[in-house]
Amino acid sequence: MLTMTPPVTIKDIQEASQLIHKVGRVTPLIQSMFLSRTVTHGDVYLKLENMQLTGSFKFRGAYNKIHHLTDSEKQRGVITASAGNHAQGVALTAHLLGINATVVMPETAPLAKQQATSGYGARVILAGQTFDEARAFMEKKATTDGLTIVDPYNDPLVIAGQGSIGLELLTQLPTIDTVIVPVGGGGLISGIAVALKHAHPQIHIIGVQSENVHGMTASLQAGHLTRQCAGSTLADGTAVAMPGNITFGLASDLVDEMVLVSEEEIAEAMKDLLQRAKTVAKGAGALPTAALEAHKIAAKWLTDKKVVALVSGGNVDLERVAQNIEHFFDHDPTGHFVG
């Protein structure tokens, strides 16, 4: 547990939760019979953050952060860098609060995500080929134009907003044993961990990342912030080469383990969530399911346990869904999904 005053407390999360629930949704928690009976022999529940406003948990942190800005900061306008989900959360929040928003996205950002972000009223600027390059451009523009930065993950108010999910889980399933969370920069798992560990320190919290990009896992293994990126990933929403110092500190204290999954395992999980759970999940949102299906988690945390797998978002491009379906058709000569 934390040995000094943490940057995010349970009080911060409780206040964020009250604020967010005035406009946001309490997302469903549904049991997956497929994952429960066939894969884990436990009771597995899916927390459907793909049904949150903007289709992602990111709305929570963005709303909490922007709402707490000073009048002067709001008047200057806000800016962020994002590949899509945080962008839409910032854009919708700015629209709801009457604030000008600028979003810097990588030039590789899918057109659908660019259009969704601009559709909420934000100004979209494309810069760089990667999130890190877009972020660097955003930081320079914030300084030049005097804009207020809304960090995607390394901010206590953003983390507290994401932590509101943990409070919902404690209400929806008070007897949780294990929670499995996608990890990019670490804001989501940090906030959830603060909320859950405060209530029940014995809850086992597992983070999941792609084998291709897993900056948080590499940093936790090294004991200090370090960069890791071996290529692109279907889980583009978690493609963060190095986490923030705040999220790294919280994860070091509160996250019990990290596991990695392959691109094929992510694609398989996306397909199974669509086919078996009737749930559209982007690559990042499918990471926990991928870890379960690939048996990357020890049975002692699953068998006869109450397990929550977070589906963090559903903003996946239709073209990518079609490619995924075609891939699995190609691997099944009968023309049916391999189930």
Side-chain angles (χ1 to χ4, degrees):
M1 298 299 292
L2 298 172
T3 57
M4 60 183 68
T5 303
V8 179
T9 67
I10 189 62
K11 182 180 179 182
D12 296 328
I13 294 174
Q14 290 167 341
E15 292 177 350
S17 181
Q18 292 177 0
L19 176 65
I20 292 164
H21 288 151
K22 292 179 181 179
V23 291
R25 296 170 181 158
V26 175
T27 53
L29 184 71
I30 64 169
Q31 185 170 11
S32 168
M33 301 311 296
F34 166 65
L35 291 173
S36 297
R37 296 183 178 182
T38 306
V39 178
T40 67
H41 305 292
D43 294 322
V44 179
Y45 298 81
L46 300 173
K47 178 62 169 167
L48 300 180
E49 279 296 295
N50 58 329
M51 298 184 70
Q52 184 54 261
L53 296 182
T54 72
S56 165
F57 76 96
K58 287 286 192 177
F59 173 77
R60 297 173 183 264
Y63 190 85
N64 193 49
K65 171 63 177 180
I66 296 174
H67 189 277
H68 280 87
L69 295 177
T70 65
D71 289 341
S72 175
E73 290 172 328
K74 291 176 181 177
Q75 289 171 3
R76 294 201 303 268
V78 298
I79 188 170
T80 194
S82 170
N85 285 334
H86 180 66
Q88 293 174 60
V90 168
L92 177 57
T93 297
H95 171 73
L96 292 173
L97 298 179
I99 301 169
N100 292 326
T102 300
V103 176
V104 182
M105 306 180 79
E107 295 172 3
T108 54
L111 180 61
K113 292 183 179 180
Q114 298 177 38
Q115 292 174 337
T117 302
S118 60
Y120 289 122
R123 176 192 179 195
V124 174
I125 298 175
L126 301 181
Q129 294 297 307
T130 66
F131 168 76
D132 287 339
E133 291 176 356
R135 184 187 184 101
F137 180 91
M138 177 269 292
E139 291 172 345
K140 292 180 181 178
K141 186 165 184 62
T143 300
T144 301
D145 295 0
L147 302 174
T148 303
I149 293 176
V150 181
D151 193 275
Y153 50 84
N154 199 47
D155 183 289
L157 288 167
V158 171
I159 295 168
Q162 322 304 26
S164 62
I165 296 171
L167 296 186
E168 285 181 21
L169 290 176
L170 291 169
T171 299
Q172 294 170 317
L173 189 67
T175 56
I176 301 172
D177 295 300
T178 302
V179 177
I180 311 168
V181 184
V183 178
L188 176 61
I189 198 169
S190 297
I192 289 176
V194 171
L196 295 182
K197 291 289 190 178
H198 177 268
H200 301 294
Q202 75 277 11
I203 294 176
H204 194 73
I205 299 177
I206 302 169
V208 188
Q209 294 192 288
S210 162
E211 291 177 353
N212 284 359
V213 188
H214 53 266
M216 179 66 84
T217 300
S219 295
L220 292 174
Q221 290 174 342
H224 57 82
L225 288 174
T226 188
R227 184 177 298 274
Q228 189 285 329
C229 180
S232 62
T233 174
L234 281 170
D236 56 347
T238 58
V240 180
M242 188 168 69
N245 62 316
I246 298 173
T247 57
F248 171 72
L250 289 168
S252 297
D253 285 320
L254 300 172
V255 174
D256 295 294
E257 64 174 301
M258 299 287 297
V259 298
L260 303 179
V261 293
S262 70
E263 295 304 299
E264 183 73 13
E265 289 162 349
I266 297 170
E268 178 83 15
M270 292 174 68
K271 180 265 295 182
D272 284 341
L273 284 168
L274 180 61
Q275 182 188 21
R276 305 302 292 266
K278 308 302 181 284
T279 296
V280 177
K282 62 179 299 176
L287 286 171
T289 298
L292 289 170
E293 291 188 335
H295 304 290
K296 298 294 179 71
I297 299 171
K300 66 180 179 179
W301 304 119
L302 305 174
T303 304
D304 299 324
K305 303 291 187 181
K306 300 289 187 183
V307 181
V308 173
L310 193 73
V311 181
S312 57
N315 294 322
V316 61
D317 299 319
L318 292 179
E319 181 179 355
R320 176 162 286 179
V321 173
Q323 291 172 347
N324 200 18
I325 291 173
E326 183 178 358
H327 169 78
F328 284 101
F329 274 155
D330 290 343
H331 284 70
D332 177 15
T334 66
H336 298 289
F337 279 133
V338 179

